[in-house]
Amino acid sequence: MQVLEKKLSVRRCLTFVTGLVECLCFAGVVFGWASLVFVLKEDGYFSSLCFNTTGVNDTQKLDCSAQDEQFSLIFTITSFINNFFALPNGFLFDHFGTTVARLLAILNKLLRLFLIFFSFPSALSFLLFLALPLLAIGGILFLITNMQIGNLFDSRRSTIINLYNGAFDSSSALFLIIKLLHESGVSLRTSFLFLSACSVVHILRTFFLLPRTFIPHPLPDRYAYGCEQTSWV
């Protein structure tokens, strides 16, 4: 009996910690867009929209206002999609459960990362208009499926939910890290290939550390989930 209780406790703690890392590193990265824009400009995205103009005293300067407008438009569309798809994502989670929602989120993540990966060279910059909204949709799904973990810790349920929300907002730092790595010589492609490889962690969490459907509240005694079939002993 004590061994079973200890096993369940370890699994719940592992579920909580890995969920926090997942939200911190992958869920709300779209809000770090401003940092990624610096990298995209250096790599020549939408650079064809820049042109030389004549300034004061007949000096030549590069006008990239049209390029900046494209980056602003991408973020505006992404911000709208991020809020608009909160309802469809919630509907998807309620009707199909955790596993289906997370597999769609993982597929979404791989698709958007490869879109950014193949948007280089900059001639395919328009792919960002699809990649970034997908980034927002998948991030919300990761957050929604992780927030139910609070049900595993009844007395700290609200604290854990708020921790996940805070981690979601803090994940904007990921693009800042990518910017710093880019300045150190790590290409954008390499960074996004690494992020794609991290999908293995998402898959392992989906099947071993989360239920197929939902985590109920209040939590039944000795509630089991993950690779074992959800049951009440």
Side-chain angles (χ1 to χ4, degrees):
M1 187 71 69
Q2 290 181 347
V3 174
L4 177 61
E5 292 291 342
K6 185 176 181 180
K7 180 181 177 181
L8 291 175
S9 178
V10 170
R11 173 171 289 188
R12 290 174 187 177
C13 290
L14 189 59
T15 299
F16 163 67
V17 172
T18 55
L20 190 63
V21 172
E22 184 174 80
C23 286
L24 186 61
C25 296
F26 304 103
V29 294
V30 67
F31 297 110
W33 172 245
S35 296
L36 186 63
V37 166
F38 286 100
V39 178
L40 297 176
K41 284 185 175 182
E42 287 186 10
D43 285 350
Y45 283 76
F46 298 113
S47 58
S48 60
L49 299 176
C50 296
F51 55 91
N52 289 317
T53 60
T54 303
V56 181
N57 299 324
D58 294 328
T59 57
Q60 294 291 317
K61 66 176 183 178
L62 192 63
D63 185 352
C64 291
S65 57
Q67 180 192 40
D68 292 333
E69 287 176 3
Q70 292 300 304
F71 287 127
S72 296
L73 181 59
I74 290 173
F75 185 71
T76 299
I77 294 172
T78 302
S79 297
F80 168 76
I81 292 294
N82 181 69
N83 293 291
F84 179 80
F85 270 84
L87 179 60
N89 282 344
F91 178 87
L92 176 70
F93 177 56
D94 285 340
H95 283 75
F96 297 101
T98 303
T99 299
V100 172
R102 285 184 60 82
L103 288 177
L104 285 174
I106 294 167
L107 181 62
N108 179 295
K109 177 192 171 185
L110 288 172
L111 177 60
R112 70 192 183 232
L113 291 176
F114 280 119
L115 281 173
I116 296 176
F117 179 84
F118 288 112
S119 66
F120 188 87
S122 55
L124 299 177
S125 300
F126 66 90
L127 290 177
L128 294 176
F129 281 97
L130 180 59
L132 265 294
L134 288 175
L135 192 67
I137 295 171
I140 287 292
L141 277 173
F142 280 132
L143 176 63
I144 291 174
T145 56
N146 276 309
M147 286 177 69
Q148 62 177 328
I149 294 173
N151 295 341
L152 294 173
F153 306 89
D154 189 51
S155 61
R156 299 179 179 84
R157 183 168 176 262
S158 296
T159 301
I160 289 174
I161 290 174
N162 280 294
L163 274 173
Y164 282 137
N165 274 305
F168 175 81
D169 294 331
S170 300
S171 64
S172 59
L174 179 67
F175 281 163
L176 174 59
I177 294 173
I178 289 177
K179 176 179 178 289
L180 295 175
L181 288 174
H182 189 269
E183 291 172 351
S184 300
V186 179
S187 69
L188 188 62
R189 278 190 164 189
T190 301
S191 296
F192 279 100
L193 275 177
F194 174 78
L195 292 176
S196 299
C198 290
S199 296
V200 175
V201 178
H202 300 315
I203 294 173
L204 291 175
R205 288 197 72 246
T206 299
F207 290 104
F208 292 96
L209 293 175
L210 286 168
R212 294 172 186 167
T213 53
F214 312 99
I215 299 175
H217 184 265
L219 199 68
D221 292 335
R222 281 174 277 170
Y223 171 73
Y225 63 94
C227 58
E228 303 172 1
Q229 184 177 359
T230 301
S231 60
W232 293 266
V233 181

